[in-house]
Amino acid sequence: MRKLYRNISMVTAVFLLVLAVMLGVSYYQMQQVSPLETGVMETLKELNETNGDNELLGQQIRELDLLSRKAYFVKEGQLKVGLYLLLGMAVVLAVCLNLYFKETKNLPEKEFDPIDEWMIKSRARKYIGWAAVAALIVGIGFVGFQHIDFKGLLAQSVGEQGSASDTLAAQDSLNGQLSAVNTQLSTDSVKEDVDSAEVDDGMPELKIASRAFRGNNSSATSSARGIATSWNLSAKKNILWQSSIPKHGYNSPVITGRNVFITGADAKARELYCYDVWTGELKWTVKADGIAGSPGSMPKVNADTGLAASTVATNGEQVCAIFATGDVICADMEGKRLWAKNIGLPDNHYGYASSPVMYGNTLIIQYQNNSNAQILALNAKTGATVWSKKGNDKISWSSPIIATLGGKSALVVMGNPAITAYNPNNGAELWRVDCLSGEVGSSPASAGGVVFGASEYAKCIAIDGATGETLWEASDYLPECSSLAATKDLVFCATSYGMVCAYDAKTGEVKKEHDLTTPFYSSPVVVDGKVYLFSNSGKVYIFSASTFDLITAFETGEKTFATPAFTDGMMIVRTDKSLYCVKKS
């Protein structure tokens, strides 16, 4: 019996080791590529929101979403079974070891025989070898079981049962549907977060992200719903939280998952901050220090620009920030700095203010200064250059956007003297329209395949995104710092002298205007059928997105230059003094 206990113990120990490794690898894979958090599903859900009348698209998305969720929970169940099996085998190992050593205590002493001892060890080696082979076979069987079960799940989800060939046919069918959707509609790489699970305190992850300046893709639109139309900071009415900011900055908040990102800087330090979206707690800080090539002293900047004017960008895995020194830093969602580099001291008289945008795993920076003007694309994971595009355009403070033009994703950059569209994958120029002049600080907008741009002392222009053809021009009202927002019907513009208006998106005619006698640096954002706009004094104006009629206006009491960010039923606002969250009580 003693030999039996020993052999069982050895086999069980090897099995435990193999199973533990397999479970660890499986758990890691689930964390890295969870079906509930794939970029494809995020893309399709956003496309469904913007194409509600496409029944075929909606059906395809529902099928794929159901498939993803079932696959996720089946694999989660397999992990649980594996853990139970691991615990059970651990108990068997403990019992056998206990019995083995219990009998050892009662064995009579005997003389040591080297030959006999060598034979015993040889037999032990043989048993261990056979145990390893058995464990390997069991491991391969376990992997095969996972694979077969997942294929069966695929077959069941598309209404097919039976042979393996039927299952593969179902997979091909789903892949074909996805390809058709991608051919019919552009799939931007940066989309909304998926509501995957609740965190420890019971507060859910948020579905709607705002991953760059003016929202996803810097589009000045959000699919958020249920945003409050009134609040009071002093009385804390409809205010979920209000938090202080360690260092000053004019950049706007960015939201992904439970994280809210902003930056701040002064003569001593440049910093990236992460706040909790539900509590307003400052979770972590990452400093932009120890960077090769970073200037020893801070550049001279205008007081209205500062050292931290650029909004960060994130893809939900990495978050990247750029400062007036030309320092770029990137961190993960836990606050670990992944890389940092200096791309050159910006040569301009106000200070660097252009905000980057993410395209998948690529960070795109518009770096147009008095010298060394370029569009730079960096790998968000490593900081390595993916592509760069140098040109002769003059200094600009505009920020790039990702737009859907001609059924494909395009990078749109606005400067002096041109608005230019590029392929975001390689920097190839798609079209260029020379139409602007002066100091370009506003950023473009896009809706319905049309690009809209405007700058003070120049013009407002509409460009066919597929061909680069100019559709119309207007000069009634033009922005200085505030950027345009657009729907398929209207283009919204806020000026630095207090006039706001809505242009007809198809003709350029001014459909509605308001003289509000207050300057605007913050940009309008279209959300839930409304247009939200903050004046420099902190007064909020909320308009109808369909008619541009003024719905309400009220003072917040804190100067506001940044553009707010929106998520599920919440709006995050950065003021001159604080960061706060608006949510209906």
Side-chain angles (χ1 to χ4, degrees):
M1 290 299 294
R2 182 168 170 266
K3 290 183 179 180
L4 177 63
Y5 294 143
R6 180 191 62 188
N7 294 339
I8 293 176
S9 298
M10 288 190 297
V11 172
T12 304
V14 174
F15 183 83
L16 277 171
L17 179 61
V18 174
L19 182 59
V21 172
M22 290 173 56
L23 290 176
V25 171
S26 184
Y27 177 78
Y28 175 79
Q29 290 175 339
M30 283 188 66
Q31 296 300 309
Q32 297 298 313
V33 290
S34 168
L36 293 177
E37 297 179 351
T38 60
V40 172
M41 289 309 305
E42 295 175 4
T43 296
L44 292 180
K45 287 180 179 180
E46 185 170 90
L47 291 176
N48 188 40
E49 289 184 0
T50 57
N51 297 271
D53 55 346
N54 191 328
E55 295 183 1
L56 175 61
L57 175 64
Q59 179 63 28
Q60 291 170 336
I61 291 174
R62 285 190 291 272
E63 290 178 357
L64 289 171
D65 184 59
L66 178 62
L67 171 64
S68 298
R69 292 180 181 276
K70 284 185 175 180
Y72 179 87
F73 290 115
V74 164
K75 194 161 187 177
E76 186 180 53
Q78 291 174 347
L79 277 177
K80 291 180 180 179
V81 171
L83 286 173
Y84 292 140
L85 183 59
L86 193 70
L87 292 173
M89 296 303 292
V91 171
V92 172
L93 177 62
V95 170
C96 289
L97 287 175
N98 181 63
L99 293 173
Y100 174 83
F101 286 109
K102 182 178 180 181
E103 289 197 4
T104 301
K105 295 178 182 178
N106 300 324
L107 289 176
E109 294 184 359
K110 68 174 184 178
E111 293 184 1
F112 177 77
D113 186 342
I115 297 177
D116 183 62
E117 187 71 14
W118 179 82
M119 294 181 65
I120 292 173
K121 290 183 178 180
S122 297
R123 287 196 296 270
R125 293 188 190 98
K126 180 177 65 175
Y127 293 143
I128 292 175
W130 283 110
V133 172
L136 180 62
I137 294 173
V138 171
I140 294 173
F142 184 76
V143 173
F145 168 76
Q146 285 187 314
H147 183 68
I148 293 172
D149 184 70
F150 184 71
K151 300 252 182 184
L153 176 65
L154 283 172
Q156 182 180 6
S157 67
V158 295
E160 298 287 346
Q161 296 180 349
S163 67
S165 60
D166 292 334
T167 300
L168 294 175
Q171 285 182 280
D172 292 338
S173 176
L174 286 174
N175 290 334
Q177 292 178 11
L178 181 57
S179 298
V181 172
N182 287 335
T183 302
Q184 184 180 18
L185 299 167
S186 171
T187 55
D188 294 329
S189 61
V190 179
K191 299 298 176 184
E192 297 169 0
D193 290 340
V194 178
D195 184 14
S196 58
E198 292 190 350
V199 293
D200 292 343
D201 60 4
M203 305 304 268
E205 294 287 325
L206 301 175
K207 296 179 181 179
I208 308 301
S210 180
R211 292 180 164 176
F213 172 54
R214 302 188 300 153
N216 291 342
N217 298 324
S218 297
S219 63
T221 61
S222 174
S223 55
R225 298 289 183 269
I227 307 300
T229 55
S230 66
W231 61 92
N232 188 303
L233 273 175
S234 58
K236 302 303 179 186
K237 175 187 176 183
N238 288 338
I239 300 297
L240 184 61
W241 51 261
Q242 185 173 17
S243 301
S244 61
I245 302 173
K247 294 187 183 298
H248 187 264
Y250 290 108
N251 54 91
S252 301
V254 159
I255 308 169
T256 184
R258 284 192 62 149
N259 297 327
V260 178
F261 300 108
I262 58 172
T263 66
D266 57 22
K268 296 181 179 180
R270 281 92 52 216
E271 297 175 336
L272 167 64
Y273 307 116
C274 176
Y275 290 80
D276 188 285
V277 73
W278 283 107
T279 67
E281 173 193 3
L282 179 58
K283 298 166 65 175
W284 51 257
T285 299
V286 173
K287 293 186 176 182
D289 57 6
I291 302 173
S294 181
S297 59
M298 294 301 100
K300 293 182 179 180
V301 295
N302 187 283
D304 289 341
T305 306
L307 297 168
S310 303
T311 299
V312 308
T314 179
N315 58 7
E317 296 180 0
Q318 297 88 32
V319 54
C320 301
I322 184 170
F323 299 91
T325 54
D327 292 328
V328 184
I329 62 172
C330 185
D332 62 18
M333 296 298 101
E334 285 71 48
K336 177 185 177 182
R337 198 171 97 172
L338 302 176
W339 57 267
K341 66 191 305 182
N342 184 275
I343 59 174
L345 182 65
D347 178 17
N348 61 56
H349 49 284
Y350 292 138
Y352 185 75
S354 179
S355 299
V357 67
M358 285 274 202
Y359 180 75
N361 290 325
T362 304
L363 175 72
I364 301 177
I365 302 171
Q366 182 175 348
Y367 211 61
Q368 293 176 330
N369 301 287
N370 284 324
S371 59
N372 193 29
Q374 61 178 317
I375 310 299
L376 185 62
L378 304 176
N379 186 303
K381 295 181 178 180
T382 65
T385 299
V386 178
W387 57 262
S388 63
K389 192 79 172 180
K390 295 188 177 182
N392 297 318
D393 287 10
K394 298 178 182 179
I395 188 171
S396 170
W397 294 265
S398 180
S399 299
I401 67 171
I402 301 293
T404 301
L405 307 179
K408 298 180 179 179
S409 294
L411 171 71
V412 179
V413 174
M414 195 166 84
N416 180 0
I419 299 177
T420 311
Y422 298 94
N423 183 331
N425 295 297
N426 54 29
E429 184 177 302
L430 303 177
W431 50 257
R432 176 183 173 93
V433 178
D434 289 349
C435 55
L436 300 177
S437 60
E439 297 182 334
V440 180
S442 177
S443 301
S446 179
V450 179
V451 172
F452 305 96
S455 180
E456 197 171 35
Y457 307 117
K459 65 182 72 173
C460 183
I461 186 170
I463 303 171
D464 187 320
T467 64
E469 177 188 359
T470 298
L471 301 178
W472 54 260
E473 295 180 357
S475 57
D476 300 80
Y477 302 107
L478 301 171
E480 179 189 8
C481 297
S482 180
S483 300
L484 300 179
T487 66
K488 62 183 181 63
D489 298 314
L490 296 174
V491 181
F492 307 105
C493 172
T495 71
S496 59
Y497 50 88
M499 291 296 300
V500 298
C501 79
Y503 288 102
D504 187 299
K506 295 178 175 60
T507 66
E509 174 191 0
V510 175
K511 301 296 291 184
K512 181 99 36 150
E513 61 188 43
H514 300 275
D515 186 359
L516 303 178
T517 65
T518 183
F520 295 90
Y521 283 1
S522 178
S523 301
V525 179
V526 181
V527 54
D528 201 11
K530 306 175 187 68
V531 178
Y532 285 74
L533 178 63
F534 283 76
S535 74
N536 291 5
S537 67
K539 189 171 184 177
V540 182
Y541 296 88
I542 303 176
F543 305 88
S544 165
S546 59
T547 64
F548 204 55
D549 291 326
L550 182 62
I551 298 172
T552 186
F554 54 92
E555 294 281 0
T556 64
E558 293 192 10
K559 293 181 179 180
T560 305
F561 304 99
T563 301
F566 298 85
T567 183
D568 306 350
M570 292 188 282
M571 172 172 55
I572 309 297
V573 183
R574 181 185 190 151
T575 75
D576 197 42
K577 298 179 179 179
S578 67
L579 185 72
Y580 68 87
C581 176
V582 176
K583 190 178 190 303
K584 292 179 181 178
S585 298

